[in-house]
Amino acid sequence: MFAPQRQEKKVMVITHHEVKVSGYTSLGRFNCDFTRVGEKDTLNLNVPGNHPSLEFEIPISSFSCGNFLLNKDFRSTLKSSEYPCAQVEVKNLYEMKGGLFCHLTVNLVGKTLEFPEMELERGEDNISGKLVLNFDMLDLDPPNKFGGLIKVDDRLDLEFVLGI
């Protein structure tokens, strides 16, 4: 009668990955994104213990920021010649108190960032999570151009979208 309620085990089929990075400069907002469609992966929901995680690589050169100058600056800032790919791992997907959570690991510019209880949002055909990073977390300096006339804010907003 007082036993904990068991969560129903489910499998989610992931049909695409999308990563959006946005930030602000002294001239306005910038958006860069990466989408990979056509690869199918699965995530187990509410399965305790070790089970396969969802891992994918993001080639930094595949991000699109709207024009070649922004693309070049974005790649240079993320040191794409030294770190050509970012890695993302989603594991331990579970439901709790009506919410959806996971353990997210992001490896970017040689730094591994762990988000052990990241809350996700459910959409009609996707699940997504939002992070706020700053350049200090990545041991990077915010870029500036033209002798400091154009500066990038220290905050970067990342959104991960997994299509289901």
Side-chain angles (χ1 to χ4, degrees):
M1 180 168 162
F2 294 106
Q5 184 178 7
R6 292 186 180 244
Q7 298 288 337
E8 179 183 340
K9 294 179 185 176
K10 299 177 188 174
V11 174
M12 293 183 152
V13 177
I14 306 301
T15 59
H16 70 273
H17 315 114
E18 187 175 353
V19 178
K20 300 175 186 178
V21 179
S22 49
Y24 294 91
T25 71
S26 52
L27 295 178
R29 184 178 175 101
F30 68 89
N31 297 300
C32 301
D33 58 30
F34 165 81
T35 302
R36 179 174 287 150
V37 179
E39 293 182 12
K40 290 194 177 184
D41 287 304
T42 58
L43 269 175
N44 295 308
L45 179 64
N46 300 323
V47 177
N50 270 343
H51 50 83
S53 59
L54 171 65
E55 298 179 36
F56 58 97
E57 278 194 346
I58 305 167
I60 300 301
S61 63
S62 295
F63 272 92
S64 174
C65 301
N67 66 55
F68 75 95
L69 290 174
L70 286 174
N71 291 346
K72 182 180 173 188
D73 286 346
F74 184 77
R75 293 170 188 156
S76 173
T77 299
L78 295 182
K79 301 178 181 182
S80 66
S81 60
E82 191 175 343
Y83 304 102
C85 291
Q87 288 86 25
V88 177
E89 180 182 25
V90 180
K91 61 184 176 183
N92 300 332
L93 189 65
Y94 63 96
E95 294 175 307
M96 185 173 69
K97 298 181 183 177
L100 186 62
F101 297 85
C102 74
H103 183 123
L104 179 75
T105 304
V106 178
N107 188 310
L108 183 62
V109 293
K111 299 292 175 194
T112 300
L113 305 173
E114 300 271 344
F115 304 93
E117 293 182 356
M118 182 168 166
E119 187 167 8
L120 303 171
E121 294 181 29
R122 295 178 207 229
E124 188 174 307
D125 61 352
N126 64 50
I127 56 175
S128 63
K130 295 179 182 177
L131 297 171
V132 176
L133 301 179
N134 60 47
F135 285 94
D136 288 341
M137 293 171 80
L138 301 169
D139 290 335
L140 297 174
D141 294 320
N144 63 61
K145 297 289 181 187
F146 304 113
L149 290 174
I150 301 174
K151 295 180 181 178
V152 175
D153 286 353
D154 188 42
R155 172 187 167 140
L156 290 175
D157 298 325
L158 270 70
E159 181 178 11
F160 298 90
V161 179
L162 302 175
I164 52 175

